Amino acid sequence: MYQRTVLVVDDEPLIRMTLADFLADEGFAVLEASNVLEAVAVLGRHRIDALITDVDMPGALNGFDLVKLVHSYTAGVAVIVTSGGHTAAEIDGHRVSFLAKPYRMDAILEELEKRMPPFLHSATAVSG
C-alpha cells in the first residue's frame, strides 16, 4: 500500500515535530527538515507528494526559495506555505496554499486534501 509522503520544513522543532506527529497519525509518511538546505537533501533522496514549509528559516534561502525550487523540478507536489510574519499576498502567483501561524492542524489537513490528487489505495489493477 502506498502512503502519501509529506515533507515538513520548519526551523522551530516543536512546531515541526507536532505537525509531523499529527500527519503521521493521519496516515501520511512524514519527512522533516529544519531549513532549506536540509529540505533539498531530503528531496534528493525521496519522492514527496506534498511540502509544508515555513517562510523564515536560518540560512541564505527561505521558504519562498524552496517553493520555487520544488515547482521547478516537479509540478505534482502540493505546497502549503506557513508564516507568522508574512502574508498570502507575498506568494505572488505561486500555486500554493498559505496559512498564517498559528494555524489549526485540521486546516493543514483540509489544504492537503484540496491540493493533493485523490488517494489511490492500491496501485494494482485487477482484470476480469
Side-chain angles (χ1 to χ4, degrees):
M1 184 164 129
Y2 173 74
Q3 267 187 305
R4 294 181 288 180
T5 302
V6 179
L7 173 57
V8 176
V9 185
D10 199 306
D11 61 316
E12 295 292 334
L14 187 58
I15 293 171
R16 187 178 65 250
M17 289 185 294
T18 300
L19 181 55
D21 287 347
F22 170 78
L23 292 171
D25 289 346
E26 291 295 324
F28 293 94
V30 182
L31 303 167
E32 298 179 48
S34 64
N35 59 52
V36 174
L37 293 180
E38 283 183 16
V40 170
V42 169
L43 291 169
R45 294 188 311 263
H46 302 277
R47 187 184 84 64
I48 64 167
D49 300 294
L51 167 69
I52 302 171
T53 184
D54 187 25
V55 175
D56 293 323
M57 289 177 278
L61 301 173
N62 65 26
F64 294 137
D65 297 317
L66 181 57
V67 169
K68 289 175 191 169
L69 175 78
V70 167
H71 280 155
S72 73
Y73 97 91
T74 183
V77 173
V79 177
I80 300 172
V81 175
T82 68
S83 180
H86 295 272
T87 66
E90 293 176 74
I91 294 173
D92 191 35
H94 292 293
R95 301 171 310 275
V96 303
S97 295
F98 178 85
L99 293 174
K101 286 183 176 179
Y103 49 79
R104 296 178 342 270
M105 292 296 172
D106 61 333
I108 291 279
L109 196 56
E110 289 170 16
E111 291 301 322
L112 283 174
E113 292 303 326
K114 276 196 271 186
R115 294 215 162 260
M116 293 178 87
F119 184 58
L120 300 175
H121 292 284
S122 174
T124 307
V126 177
S127 59

